[in-house]
Amino acid sequence: DSRKPTTIVGFREHIFTGGLSSIANYMAMQEGCFVSLGQRVLHDPLKIRLHYGHPDLFDKLFYMTRGGVSKASKGINLSEDIFAGFNTVLRGGHVSFKEYIQCGKGRDVGLQQLFKFEGKLSCGNAMQSLTRDMYRICRSVDFLKLMSFFYGGVGFFISPL
C-alpha cells in the first residue's frame, strides 16, 4: 500500500452533543468506538479502511481525473460515503487514517433519530452487497483482506444472526 498514492486521509471525531441525554451519550460512545477504535484496526493492521463519512480529506485531483465520486442511484448507493472508498481501492488509491487532528461533530440526540441512523446503516450495507463495486473489490483483494472487508461491512450485520 505504500506504493499507492494516498487519496483519502481520515481523522478522529469528537461528538460534542454526547452530554445532552443518555441516548446522545450512547450514540457518542458508539461513534467513538467505531471512529477511534474500529478505524485504527481497519487502517493498521488490516489495511482495508475505506471512507466511512466525515471528517475525511480527499485528493481532489485524483478523483477529478478518474470520473469523480458521485453515483447515479440513490437507492442502491444509499451509503454514498463508502462508495468513495470503493472507488479509491478499485482505481489504485490508498486510504489512510491519522490521529493528530480531531474534528468536532454534532449528532441527533433523539431515540427516533437513533433508529433511523441504524436503519440507514443496515439498509446501506444490504444495498452495497448488490453492487458491481463490491463484486470487483472482492475479486481483487487477497483472502485476509476479503475477510476483513466482509466483517468490517456486510458481515457485521450478517454474522450475529
Side-chain angles (χ1 to χ4, degrees):
D1 286 339
S2 62
R3 297 176 308 225
K4 297 179 180 179
T6 300
T7 55
I8 300 176
V9 180
F11 302 109
R12 291 181 50 173
E13 292 179 357
H14 168 69
I15 309 299
F16 54 80
T17 54
L20 297 177
S21 68
S22 59
I23 296 168
N25 189 26
Y26 168 75
M27 287 189 73
M29 286 190 298
Q30 177 186 21
E31 189 88 13
C33 287
F34 177 70
V35 173
S36 295
L37 303 175
Q39 298 294 313
R40 284 180 198 160
V41 173
L42 287 172
H43 172 62
D44 189 27
L46 298 180
K47 308 279 189 228
I48 196 69
R49 184 193 185 273
L50 302 172
H51 173 60
Y52 297 99
H54 309 288
D56 279 4
L57 183 68
F58 284 75
D59 180 356
K60 182 179 178 181
L61 186 60
F62 178 86
Y63 286 99
M64 286 179 62
T65 57
R66 288 165 177 83
V69 294
S70 297
K71 292 289 183 176
S73 170
K74 69 177 184 177
I76 288 189
N77 307 114
L78 180 64
S79 298
E80 72 283 349
D81 296 336
I82 194 74
F83 288 97
F86 289 174
N87 287 339
T88 295
V89 170
L90 293 171
R91 295 172 181 174
H94 173 68
V95 182
S96 184
F97 181 71
K98 302 297 179 191
E99 301 227 20
Y100 49 79
I101 295 177
Q102 177 173 303
C103 299
K105 187 176 189 179
R107 279 274 181 211
D108 294 328
V109 294
L111 193 56
Q112 187 174 9
Q113 286 84 10
L114 172 65
F115 290 143
K116 286 181 179 180
F117 182 68
E118 293 292 329
K120 180 183 183 263
L121 291 179
S122 60
C123 288
N125 271 281
M127 289 294 148
Q128 287 170 33
S129 64
L130 301 174
T131 64
R132 287 179 290 180
D133 294 331
M134 180 77 82
Y135 173 77
R136 289 176 182 148
I137 287 177
C138 291
R139 298 277 305 201
S140 67
V141 297
D142 59 63
F143 182 73
L144 294 176
K145 278 190 181 180
L146 182 63
M147 291 295 106
S148 302
F149 181 66
F150 175 74
Y151 285 107
V154 178
F156 177 80
F157 296 97
I158 294 174
S159 60
L161 298 177

